[in-house]
């Protein structure tokens, strides 16, 4: 952890006994169900300013409390996912704060591999591909669609032209600036229902 201009070991690795741990202003000894360890002193920090001075801690603006960050609490996916404030990051293989417990756009966009900021609802949510593992659940979510064996964000919910153009399954409609599913991936009924697509005798949909 970075503190007062110096890189130091985080509290769980710094001390193995309560006396030394509690003597350090950045740490406090914890005992939960007989499991004891040296933790960050997050609970003692009364506001966001003091909370964020300790890089082991994170301020929860909803509960107005300073909590130990998820990656300092859990090492396994089972324990991590059992905490409703945390989630397992399959990309990094670590425990991190759950997307739905992130309340600022900046923090959400700082976790782009697993979270995305929804402008319409001004909220942070888990990326569709990590939200659902089956087509039924994915398809009933207005933000997601099932394609090629996986759940992905709908083209219409992509928020920038760059996001749209970088997605091979989406097409930017230049006349309106809207992002939509490429006609080539549309079924016949969807193709016929879109005025920008044409269904050909060769049973293909084209722009």
């Amino acid at each position: 952890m970075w503190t007062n201009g110096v890189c130091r070991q985080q509290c769980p690795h710094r001390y193995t006994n309560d006396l030394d741990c509690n003597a350090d202003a950045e740490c406090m000894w914890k005992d939960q169900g007989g499991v004891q360890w040296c933790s960050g002193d997050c609970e003692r920090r009364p506001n966001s300013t003091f909370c964020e001075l300790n890089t082991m801690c994170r301020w929860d603006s909803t509960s107005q409390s300073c909590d130990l960050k998820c990656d300092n609490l859990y090492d396994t996916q089972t324990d991590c996912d059992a905490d409703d404030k945390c989630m397992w990051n399959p990309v990094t293989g670590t425990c991190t704060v759950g997307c739905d417990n992130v309340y600022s756009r900046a923090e959400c966009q700082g976790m782009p591999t697993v979270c995305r900021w929804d402008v319409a609802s001004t909220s942070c949510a888990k990326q569709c591909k990590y939200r659902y593992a089956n087509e039924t659940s994915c398809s009933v979510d207005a933000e997601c669609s099932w394609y090629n064996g996986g759940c992905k964000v709908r083209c219409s919910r992509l928020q920038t032209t760059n996001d749209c153009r970088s997605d091979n399954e989406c097409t930017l409609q230049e006349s309106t600036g809207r992002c939509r599913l490429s006609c080539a991936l549309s079924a016949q009924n969807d193709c016929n229902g879109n005025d920008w697509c044409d269904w050909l005798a060769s049973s293909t949909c084209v722009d």
Side-chain angles (χ1 to χ4, degrees), residues 151-162:
C151 193
K152 67 182 292 292
V153 64
R154 292 180 187 272
C155 297
S156 60
R157 300 302 287 268
L158 293 176
Q159 295 163 8
T160 69
T161 56
N162 285 339

Side-chain angles (χ1 to χ4, degrees), residues 5-47:
V6 178
C7 183
R8 301 187 66 192
Q9 280 188 314
Q10 293 186 343
C11 296
H13 306 291
R14 206 181 299 177
Y15 305 110
T16 57
N17 64 80
D18 58 340
L19 293 178
D20 290 336
C21 177
N22 289 327
D24 190 320
E26 294 173 344
C27 308
M28 64 183 295
W29 191 253
K30 300 274 286 188
D31 187 335
Q32 289 187 340
V35 178
Q36 300 178 334
W37 78 100
C38 188
S39 173
D41 66 332
C42 307
E43 295 173 15
R44 298 175 184 159
R45 297 176 178 254
N47 56 54

Side-chain angles (χ1 to χ4, degrees), residues 117-181:
W117 183 258
D118 184 70
V119 175
S121 62
T122 61
S123 63
C124 189
K126 192 181 289 187
Q127 291 277 12
C128 292
K129 63 181 176 180
Y130 299 121
R131 208 180 300 178
Y132 306 110
N134 63 76
E135 183 174 2
T136 302
S137 300
C138 174
S139 298
V140 297
D141 189 319
E143 191 178 21
C144 308
S145 64
W146 190 263
Y147 175 73
N148 201 25
C151 193
K152 67 182 292 292
V153 64
R154 292 180 187 272
C155 297
S156 60
R157 300 302 287 268
L158 293 176
Q159 295 163 8
T160 69
T161 56
N162 285 339
D163 287 341
C164 184
R165 286 177 173 143
S166 64
D167 191 318
N168 295 330
E169 293 141 19
C170 304
T171 299
L172 184 68
Q173 193 173 14
E174 299 291 347
S175 59
T176 62
R178 291 172 56 196
C179 187
R180 56 176 175 77
L181 183 68

